[in-house]
Amino acid sequence: MGRLPVVADFPSNAVLAIVPPPENDPPTNVLILLHGLGDKHASFTKLGQQLNLPETACIAIQGPASLMDIDGFHWGDDIIFDSTTGGIDADAGFRLSTAMLKAMIEEDLVAKCGYRTREIMVFGLGQGGMAGLNVAAALHQSAKSPSEAELGGVISIGAGLPAEAPAALVNKCKTPIVVCGGSRDSTVSPAAEEKLEHIFEFVEVKRYRRPGDTMPRDRDEMMPIMQFFARRLRSTKGVPAGSVEIG
């Protein structure tokens, strides 16, 4: 188990906030929170507090690039406008943000704070979800051993993999993922689902009973996410001293 991260563990140019585990729990897990296009990390800092996950430190990270004159940030390499909608295209290249997030996981959380990748999960909304899925795939592709390749899991709200991700992997990524989206008007298309299944070994796609890819609005929509946390977050409570973890 790693130690509770502090802001000084990360690069000085990274903007982030750390929410400690509730009730003085040990920081057995880390949940990285990635906001959506045009937002800031503050809203996901609040999300980490609201989730109140046992034995889990939440780290809300701000996208590295500002969004023109809008008071918000994004995860893309560039700002690209969608010719169909006139809005900003979320799939704007993730080379820089993937390198940043990958380094924060490998160099800061693992090397400095003592975590294993299996103890680290990622939750992202929209473009943040796309960034989270992409860094999970990148970690898998560069890993020197299986123990370095698997995150605890990735939850993506309303986003699949970016275009720059490989179309398929022979040895699929073992990080389990949950992707949530609307029953219609969703960016999680059948083609996006198919690509996820070609990259990740364990894929769950959960559809809301309504259109759109916003954050979950009620208990029914949040339930698959909380069940995933229950399966994947680790706990030291009730484990006898000296016991050995298997698997």
Side-chain angles (χ1 to χ4, degrees), residues 35-40 67 72-76 87-90 125-128:
H35 63 76
L37 176 64
D39 199 358
K40 294 181 177 180
L67 199 57
F73 293 81
H74 68 104
W75 301 96
I88 298 174
D89 189 345
L125 170 64
Q127 193 185 47

Side-chain angles (χ1 to χ4, degrees), residues 202-216:
F202 306 104
V203 179
E204 294 180 65
V205 177
K206 302 296 184 180
R207 295 287 178 183
Y208 304 146
R209 298 175 185 173
R210 59 173 174 85
D213 290 332
T214 60
M215 285 285 286

Side-chain angles (χ1 to χ4, degrees), residues 13-84:
N13 62 345
V15 179
L16 56 87
I18 299 170
V19 179
E23 300 178 2
N24 294 316
D25 281 356
T28 309
N29 311 279
V30 169
L31 175 62
I32 296 173
L33 300 169
L34 308 177
H35 63 76
L37 176 64
D39 199 358
K40 294 181 177 180
H41 74 298
S43 62
F44 271 39
T45 304
K46 185 177 180 181
L47 173 64
Q49 295 166 342
Q50 292 170 334
L51 285 170
N52 201 40
L53 296 168
E55 296 188 51
T56 303
C58 294
I59 305 177
I61 303 173
Q62 189 159 281
S66 61
L67 199 57
M68 300 184 296
D69 296 331
I70 301 172
D71 188 25
F73 293 81
H74 68 104
W75 301 96
D77 293 334
D78 204 348
I79 296 174
I80 300 173
F81 289 92
D82 189 321
S83 58
T84 305

